[in-house]
């Protein structure tokens, strides 16, 4: 157990640090990457910054994350929960977790997966059990208007079961979940930022979803892996129905969208379409695949699609073979080096940047030139590449400060590298004096996603940078085999990056966004009219029988439920409807029935219901589980199940 | 939305502050409490400290919670998760959540409730589904040796389904869960600190569990509430079997144990045995009920017990009627004022302190005098009361600093009051100059549990005090109707308490303990021998068929699973066993099967298994869900289900 303060600089040289890192995350890393490493070590890396900067613990930076008691954060962060299956709301710079929003996975506090309302969102099997109780969220992004977040919605993916969930940002709740047909391994997700055609639609109306795994289409047991394919999907932001899909070559990893609404893109790490990892990394170059949204929707409108299996969703052909003619192409495959990971849109609206993963490079693609290719103005779509520059080992994701700088995580080097995009373009053009690397900062350890405050909006403000470190190793007290991950916060307001704080998080946040607190207007009390079954007056309470079906109507008003007891008969199918008549913010009640596997909460003015069979006779004290009042412990009602 | 920094002093007078508080938590508070309030407001409260102290934001206190990047916490905190159903491990003073330990409720990250191993701990129905998926943890305490924590175990209750879970503090995992028979509303929990008879047993061997709700015994539908009773239970710390139970009058709320092992106690807020909250608060005094452990175990040994329903657990008679003779009594009912909440053992080993809740008082009970009563040395057990002093409105729980001071939460006043126990006793004896109230600090808001570092051990060190505030109101950015709760941290090293930090937490932590980090020795890698089915060599991998039952054996070693694909047939019952052969700390893998509702992790050298029916034909990419390696995305295997 390492108990002393860890000196983050440690005076270790670069090789020493790499050796330390390699003991954990890189065992058995195969030939491709090792080759990169040797290449990088063997020759002087392209214009380097000062040697790996010691993470200067400048007072203003390091203390900036520390709020005084009662002081509020200035930014919200929406964090994906990984295989914990939720979305998390953090306050920044403090890093405090303010809320977990259940989406794909049940939540015993809220009663998510217990109440009829949440089961309807999550989806059930014919026997009434939840269809799924696991999830794997990776990426979360919010709705846009005029290039900035508008505080309406956020979306989040479930990779395991190819589901997309929508979060309402007024109530911070999940209100819809859609399963994508014929998709396995749904990974990247990004809303559009405006309509590609209609200038009046200056806000998000579509969400794009990348399918990572290639499978038989339809997936009915075929085993010939040369016929496996992946789909790129478009979901309607309002109805949450799948509008269309695109059949592609290769796979989809992350997704990005242009500010003008015209392009979406996904980086492809497996253009080889290999089924084993050695095959997936056999090619020297993979791709960033662009989608011409307007053309795809024209093709759908013109009936140029097929459907797959029992799905009714139109599927257009986006394969290379079918899209050779630029002037009619729906898709464009821009070449990028080996197994790229991450594609991000710069806030100046000009570029998409693909990070290399197994190549030590970032590739800068100019969007105007991709559009030029679609317009037939140049022949080779790779001419849209305006820079391909070395950054360090294992580049994964990139964030922006709105001042022309990009920040890329280097997984293998456990660093963040700050680099200037214009200088990188100049260097790529031939100006070898262009020192595009501005700064490097060691992080702890093996960083994946990175994002800056307002990064992929036109309001990128270059204040905070968060880095999702996959390994925390010695940064927190040991708690057994399962370590927390480490979301580090960095001050990027100056020339040098300054490490501010380590924030441990439960596995496994991948992506996140950070935005100014005034962009959302949360509501804190429900409206009784939100639920058609709301019991608006406690006098409506009672037990209503219809054969074996019994409806129990009840209200809560601290410190009592409107029914002090209620009787049902063994074997009844009971639907209990509870409306919380308390109107005061934060005055939430819970409702638990012992041995009946029932617990849920009702927020102020909220209504929820549960349905169960009263299969055990006896007396069951239903009690308030959410502290509400000095007489909270005494807030109970009795369910008497007569034998 | 209140966005500015909240000034915690605000210059509001006492009435103003109460009015503010009352708008949220106290609506409809009935006559008993109002009477207390009026009483307290109307006359000068017993010796008061200086007027409600402004929470001085002294630099050392306020900045003490702020660790530099890489700096480690000095204390662990074990927090109950309330109806989130888990146990949480916090680092203090930072307040960072380092781990959530799933116990009563499934966890999609770990695969808790998914793997065969965790299902065996949680308990299943005949159809294989989990018996319960909700829980409501309240109190957590750890095993003792020689009056201090020994780092072996912690226990936590589930109020909804009357279950007790044990956590191993070497691996920080739940390894056993026991459901208490004939108990509803299992609330308080506390391990003993040594054996009452055998001096060689200087460590925890029993855990005591209080039953809060009175029910028919057995609970088979009887409805005559005068026959409802509660049980106090003793669980074996090693086997986790229920050793014995005590039938009592009234109910059990919190539980405390003496350092000498001789006494356990529970405060009783409902000696009236009322079924409605007005009845529960009708009497002016309730009780603190003491259990004479040695005598109870002698009675069990002598066969002086009955059993209830199908349970085989011996139940001795602890009712008032059966225990009038002190010299043979198993129990003693000490009178305390109206609806007490909380009973705590002082680290000087001398006293139990009951907080009043609906009485503005704390009652100090001298343990030696309770033992004297059992020995027939005095007639009235209430003579054990050595102080009953006013503290403020709504006292709930008490912590200690090891320097003779107690810290009690005042729910209605939203304050913590620091008071000197010896001076309170002197005041109660008649010395009206004894100013027992040392300090008061406003907290935010409506505090419930409180605990200090090492508080209920002989090593109480008076450094940190944490307060579980039930309402956070304006202390954090708004996130919709469900507010975080606020675990505030207070520096108690000086004469005045100093508020250090607000820590938001997901509802609803109740109790917690805080101890020095060197008291546990966590292990970070499993032992292959822990699991009888461990696959110790990847060469043992394969698909083994026995009729329709198929066993798939696999290992993981970053970045690959030992099987690159495996085939089963539609309708097979598949048991998949996965051993993680990686040996490096923090190198955990996940294993997800799309559409099959399977996801779980295997920590280094851990083995886990799942069993499912292969009911959907097709190709399913099983992938690693826990980031492990630069080629993590490529770490997959294929399950091919042949139609």
């Amino acid at each position: 157990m390492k108990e002393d303060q860890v000196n983050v600089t440690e005076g270790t040289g670069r090789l020493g640090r790499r050796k330390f890192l390699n003991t954990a995350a890189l065992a058995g890393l195969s030939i491709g990457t090792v080759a990169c490493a040797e290449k990088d070590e063997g020759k002087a890396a392209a214009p380097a910054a000062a040697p790996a900067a010691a993470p200067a613990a400048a007072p203003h930076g390091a203390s900036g994350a520390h709020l005084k008691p009662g002081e509020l954060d200035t930014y919200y962060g929406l964090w994906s929960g990984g295989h914990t299956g939720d979305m998390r709301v953090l306050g920044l710079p403090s890093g405090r977790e303010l809320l977990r929003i259940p989406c794909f996975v049940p939540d015993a506090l809220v009663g998510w997966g217990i109440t009829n309302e949440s089961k309807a969102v999550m989806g059930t099997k014919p026997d009434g059990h939840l269809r799924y109780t696991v999830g794997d969220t990776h990426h979360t992004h919010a709705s846009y208007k005029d290039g900035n977040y508008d505080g309406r919605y956020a979306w989040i993916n479930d990779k395991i079961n190819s589901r997309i969930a929508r979060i309402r940002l007024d109530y911070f709740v999940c209100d819809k979940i859609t399963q994508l047909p014929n998709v396995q391994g749904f990974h990247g997700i990004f809303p559009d930022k405006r309509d590609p055609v209609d200038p009046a639609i200056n806000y998000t109306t579509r969400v794009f979803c990348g399918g990572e795994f290639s499978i038989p289409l339809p997936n009915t047991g075929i085993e010939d892996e040369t016929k496996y394919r992946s789909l790129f999907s478009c979901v309607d932001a309002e109805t949450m129905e799948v509008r269309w899909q695109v059949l592609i070559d290769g796979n989809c990893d992350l997704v990005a969208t242009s500010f003008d609404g015209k392009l979406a893109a996904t980086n492809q790490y497996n253009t080889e379409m290999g089924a084993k990892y050695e095959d997936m990394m056999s090619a020297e170059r993979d791709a960033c695949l662009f989608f011409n949204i307007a053309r795809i929707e024209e093709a759908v409108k013109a009936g140029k699609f097929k459907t797959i299996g029992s799905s009714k969703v139109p599927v257009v052909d986006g394969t290379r073979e079918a899209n050779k003619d630029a002037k009619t192409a729906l898709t464009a495959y821009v070449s990028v080096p080996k197994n790229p990971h991450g594609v991000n849109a710069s806030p100046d609206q000009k570029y998409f940047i693909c990070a290399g993963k197994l190549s030590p490079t970032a590739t800068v693609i100019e969007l105007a030139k991709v559009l030029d290719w679609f317009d037939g103005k140049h022949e080779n779509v790779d001419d849209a590449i305006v820079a391909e520059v070395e950054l360090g080992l294992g580049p994964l994701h990139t964030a922006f400060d709105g001042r022309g700088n990009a920040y890329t995580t280097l997984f293998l080097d456990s660093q963040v590298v700050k680099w200037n995009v214009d200088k990188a373009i100049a260097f790529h053009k031939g100006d070898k004096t262009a020192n595009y690397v501005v700064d490097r900062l060691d992080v702890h350890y093996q960083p994946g996603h990175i994002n800056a405050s307002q990064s992929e909006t036109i309001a990128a403000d270059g204040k905070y940078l968060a880095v999702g470190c996959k390994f925390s190793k010695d940064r927190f007290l040991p708690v057994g085999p399962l370590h927390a991950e480490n979301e580090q916060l960095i001050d990027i307001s100056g020339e040098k990056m300054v490490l501010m704080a380590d924030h441990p998080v439960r596995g496994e946040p991948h992506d996140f966004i950070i935005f100014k607190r005034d962009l959302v207007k949360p509501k804190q009390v429900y409206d009784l009219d939100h639920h058609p079954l709301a019991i608006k007056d406690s006098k409506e309470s009672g037990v209503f029988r219809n054969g074996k079906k019994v409806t129990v109507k009840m209200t809560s008003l601290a410190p009592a439920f409107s029914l002090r007891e209620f009787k049902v008969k063994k074997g009844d199918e009971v639907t209990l409807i509870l409306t919380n008549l308390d109107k005061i913010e934060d005055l939430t009640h819970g409702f638990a029935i012992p041995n009946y596997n029932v617990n849920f909460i009702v927020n102020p003015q909220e209504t929820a219901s549960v349905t169960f069979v009263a299969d055990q006779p006896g007396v069951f004290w239903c009690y308030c589980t959410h502290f509400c009042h000095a007489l909270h412990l005494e807030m109970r009602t009795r369910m008497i199940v007569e034998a």
Side-chain angles (χ1 to χ4, degrees), chain A:
Chain A
M1 195 163 73
K2 194 165 181 181
E3 293 198 344
D4 299 317
Q5 181 182 346
V6 176
N7 183 333
V8 291
T9 59
E10 289 186 326
T12 53
R14 197 164 180 193
L15 275 170
R17 183 174 157 82
R18 281 199 177 150
K19 196 175 170 196
F20 168 66
L21 296 172
N22 285 349
T23 60
L26 313 174
L29 184 61
S30 59
I31 186 165
T33 318
V34 173
C36 290
E38 282 167 356
K39 183 180 158 202
D40 189 59
E41 296 285 353
K43 64 166 192 170
H60 79 280
S63 65
H66 298 152
L67 302 183
K68 296 191 198 89
E71 204 174 359
L72 296 183
D73 283 296
T74 47
Y75 289 79
Y76 284 96
L78 299 182
W79 248 253
S80 84
H83 41 322
T84 303
D86 52 357
M87 181 188 281
R88 302 172 192 166
V89 185
L90 270 61
L92 292 171
S94 75
R96 299 183 293 198
E97 184 190 271
L98 304 175
L99 184 69
R100 300 178 213 154
I101 306 171
C103 308
F104 301 113
V105 165
D107 182 284
L109 165 73
V110 175
W112 191 253
I114 298 285
T115 63
N116 295 332
E117 293 73 17
S118 60
K119 286 170 95 169
V121 174
M122 294 181 77
T124 51
K125 293 189 279 192
D127 69 0
H129 282 99
L130 292 173
R131 182 75 189 87
Y132 302 113
T133 60
V134 298
D136 183 21
T137 72
H138 282 241
H139 305 106
T140 181
H141 292 285
S143 57
Y144 283 80
K145 185 172 185 179
D146 283 330
N148 198 358
Y149 300 125
D150 65 1
R152 281 184 299 145
Y153 298 126
W155 291 272
I156 190 164
N157 76 308
D158 165 27
K159 181 169 172 176
I160 297 181
N161 300 308
S162 300
R163 293 177 293 174
I164 171 172
R166 182 174 70 186
I167 311 294
R168 286 180 58 158
L169 289 180
D170 51 355
Y171 288 100
F172 283 76
V173 293
C174 172
D175 75 335
K176 288 210 183 242
I177 292 178
T178 297
Q179 188 164 23
L180 306 177
N182 297 303
V183 171
Q184 208 173 89
F186 158 34
H187 194 213
I189 185 173
F190 219 105
D192 68 1
K193 300 191 180 91
R194 61 184 312 133
D195 190 82
V197 177
D198 184 349
I201 303 175
N202 59 344
Y203 52 86
T204 294
T205 59
R206 303 168 185 81
V207 187
F208 302 112
C209 308
E212 186 181 341
F213 303 155
S214 300
I215 51 172
L217 293 175
N219 188 12
T220 49
I222 304 163
E223 201 186 311
D224 174 2
E225 59 198 51
T226 64
K227 293 188 183 155
Y228 292 6
R229 285 292 179 282
S230 298
L231 299 175
F232 180 83
S233 305
C234 172
V235 171
D236 189 284
E238 282 300 328
T239 66
M240 289 289 285
E241 284 169 11
V242 185
R243 283 194 187 181
W244 44 259
Q245 296 179 304
V246 185
L247 185 80
I248 62 167
D249 289 323
N251 70 342
C252 304
D253 189 17
L254 278 287
V255 175
T257 63
S258 66
F259 282 83
D260 63 9
K262 292 179 181 169
L263 296 173
T266 186
N267 65 294
Q268 302 192 294
Y269 70 81
N270 185 17
T271 51
E272 303 92 337
M273 301 180 70
K276 299 185 174 63
Y277 78 86
E278 303 88 333
D279 301 331
M280 297 181 198
M281 45 189 273
S282 59
E284 277 310 306
R285 294 185 78 86
D286 285 293
C288 181
L289 166 54
F290 285 84
F291 299 90
N292 187 316
I293 306 304
R295 285 193 191 167
I296 288 168
E297 300 199 343
E298 280 165 22
V300 170
K301 213 176 277 180
K304 294 177 184 164
F305 62 81
K306 59 175 185 174
T307 60
I308 297 172
S310 59
S311 166
K312 299 279 179 287
V313 175
V315 180
V316 299
D317 190 345
T319 58
R320 287 172 185 268
E321 185 61 29
N323 291 276
K324 285 179 174 168
D325 180 357
K327 289 202 173 173
T328 60
L330 310 180
T331 55
Y333 294 75
V334 175
S335 150
V336 296
K338 205 181 188 69
N339 289 49
H341 190 67
V343 54
N344 296 92
S346 64
D348 61 7
Q349 315 187 32
K350 290 196 227 168
Y351 308 111
F352 279 4
I353 293 175
C354 281
K357 193 169 79 175
L358 300 194
S359 158
T361 58
T363 301
V364 182
I365 300 169
E366 188 173 337
L367 299 179
K369 294 190 174 174
V370 176
L371 291 171
D372 284 349
W373 179 83
F374 276 117
D375 290 342
K377 292 183 187 164
H378 56 93
E379 278 219 348
N380 186 352
V381 70
D382 284 359
D383 290 348
I385 297 169
V386 292
E388 194 176 298
V389 292
E390 290 201 19
L391 296 177
L393 293 189
L396 292 190
H397 300 280
T398 299
F400 306 93
D401 63 8
R403 296 187 295 269
N405 301 303
Y407 301 75
T408 301
T409 44
L410 301 175
F411 178 80
L412 299 183
D413 279 337
S414 278
Q415 282 187 340
V416 173
V417 54
K418 174 180 178 181
W419 54 287
N420 183 278
V421 178
D422 283 345
K423 287 189 181 172
I425 293 169
F427 180 86
H428 184 78
K429 265 192 188 150
D431 176 5
K432 297 303 173 195
T433 68
N435 289 314
Y436 56 86
V437 171
V438 180
D439 191 22
R440 292 180 188 276
L441 182 75
D442 288 344
V443 294
H444 312 85
Y445 301 93
Q446 261 82 35
H449 274 278
I450 188 169
N451 221 335
S453 42
Q454 299 277 162
S455 174
E456 290 192 46
T457 73
I458 58 167
D461 65 359
K463 195 159 168 60
Y464 297 118
L465 185 74
V467 183
C469 295
K470 298 295 186 179
F471 291 83
S472 63
K473 296 174 191 273
D474 52 5
R475 301 295 282 191
F476 306 115
L477 287 183
V479 288
L482 183 62
H483 293 222
E485 296 177 21
N486 188 5
E487 307 293 283
Q488 290 193 304
L489 193 69
I490 296 165
D491 180 345
I492 54 167
S493 58
E495 183 78 356
K496 289 273 179 196
M497 295 178 276
V498 179
L499 185 62
M500 299 173 73
D502 290 333
H503 294 141
V505 287
R506 184 160 183 77
E508 180 174 359
H510 295 269
D511 207 1
F512 44 86
I513 59 173
I514 300 165
F515 53 86
K516 288 189 175 167
R517 65 185 182 188
D518 57 0
L519 289 176
V520 291
K521 304 288 177 211
K523 296 177 179 173
Q524 304 198 279
V525 174
Y526 275 85
D527 186 320
L528 282 184
D529 292 330
H530 283 174
H531 199 298
L533 302 178
I535 299 144
K536 298 184 180 178
D537 186 326
S538 62
K539 294 194 191 94
E540 298 167 28
S541 304
V543 177
F544 305 89
R545 177 173 292 278
N546 180 3
K548 296 282 278 180
K549 294 200 175 190
V550 175
T551 302
V552 179
K553 295 186 182 181
M554 208 183 303
T555 61
S556 57
L557 196 64
F561 295 109
S562 59
L563 299 178
R564 300 307 183 83
E565 61 177 54
F566 59 97
K567 287 183 188 169
V568 298
K569 288 187 170 55
K570 189 182 171 189
D572 284 345
E573 183 192 283
V574 180
T575 295
L576 187 145
I577 306 165
L578 177 62
T579 297
N580 183 4
L581 293 181
D582 276 307
K583 290 176 185 174
I584 297 163
E585 173 190 328
D586 213 0
L587 223 171
T588 295
H589 295 287
F591 191 86
I593 310 180
N595 302 6
Y596 269 92
N597 209 31
V598 167
N599 187 46
F600 60 97
I601 58 169
V602 275
N603 289 301
Q605 302 279 293
E606 189 182 19
T607 298
S609 65
V610 288
T611 298
F612 58 91
V613 175
D615 53 7
Q616 305 161 70
V619 173
F620 300 89
W621 287 101
C622 310
Y623 68 98
C624 176
T625 41
H626 206 86
F627 208 101
C628 58
H629 190 280
L631 292 174
H632 163 70
L633 272 187
E634 290 84 349
M635 185 169 175
R636 308 186 206 158
T637 180
R638 259 183 305 172
M639 177 172 80
I640 297 165
V641 181
E642 295 171 323

